[in-house]
Amino acid sequence: MKNISLFCSLFFGMVAFFVSSNFVLAQNTEELPKAYITNELYVMLDGDAPQDAKVFEADILELHLATIEQANRFFGFFNDPSVQFETNIITQKVIVTLIPDAEKQNWITQDWANYLKDKVATQRQHFGTYIDFTKK
């Protein structure tokens, strides 16, 4: 009788875990506005995104980043207090989070797009035209 009670407790615990996991995963499948990384390594934000959007998702498959370390080195050049990149090497996606400070509080998507473009231009001025962002 004790074994049956233990089995039932484990069974219902597992069912509760899977139901709650599916609920959480279903909430996280909301589609984010898109960002794009061009051949010139500019991060472009979808112009059709809501003007107050602060989180975007970009496909990084064409960057050929094989490891999380490579991805972290690559996006480490772009991270700063205003922009954060969270890479998922398995899905080959990166989440771009815009973090406004007092100066950037009223920025719309186009302002952020210009800011991101200027970041790459500034890196190129410091390091030359070609930068291997996967090697620091």
Side-chain angles (χ1 to χ4, degrees):
M1 187 71 175
K2 191 174 189 180
N3 287 338
I4 293 174
S5 176
L6 180 60
F7 174 77
C8 289
S9 295
L10 286 173
F11 177 76
F12 287 117
M14 288 174 40
V15 168
F17 171 77
F18 287 119
V19 168
S20 64
S21 296
N22 286 336
F23 178 73
V24 169
L25 289 174
Q27 287 183 334
N28 290 334
T29 59
E30 181 179 317
E31 186 134 341
L32 295 172
K34 298 294 179 207
Y36 307 92
I37 301 173
T38 68
N39 290 340
E40 295 83 26
L41 303 180
Y42 292 113
V43 178
M44 307 297 291
L45 304 176
D46 185 358
D48 293 332
Q51 290 300 303
D52 61 346
K54 298 292 184 262
V55 181
F56 296 80
E57 181 180 62
D59 184 10
I60 59 171
L61 186 62
E62 292 183 18
L63 295 176
H64 305 289
L65 301 170
T67 66
I68 193 68
E69 290 79 15
Q70 267 188 330
N72 287 341
R73 276 193 301 274
F74 179 86
F75 289 108
F77 276 95
F78 304 102
N79 275 333
D80 69 20
S82 296
V83 183
Q84 180 182 21
F85 295 84
E86 184 180 333
T87 311
N88 185 329
I89 204 71
I90 295 169
T91 63
Q92 291 290 294
K93 304 274 186 198
V94 64
I95 302 297
V96 181
T97 304
L98 308 174
I99 308 163
D101 58 16
E103 175 188 327
K104 300 173 186 83
Q105 200 66 33
N106 296 319
W107 279 16
I108 60 172
T109 305
Q110 186 58 47
D111 297 318
W112 284 104
N114 291 335
Y115 176 78
L116 292 168
K117 184 175 181 179
D118 289 345
K119 286 175 72 68
V120 173
T122 300
Q123 290 286 356
R124 288 200 170 124
Q125 285 177 346
H126 290 307
F127 297 109
T129 304
Y130 177 77
I131 307 167
D132 185 351
F133 287 104
T134 62
K135 297 183 176 129
K136 218 174 190 181

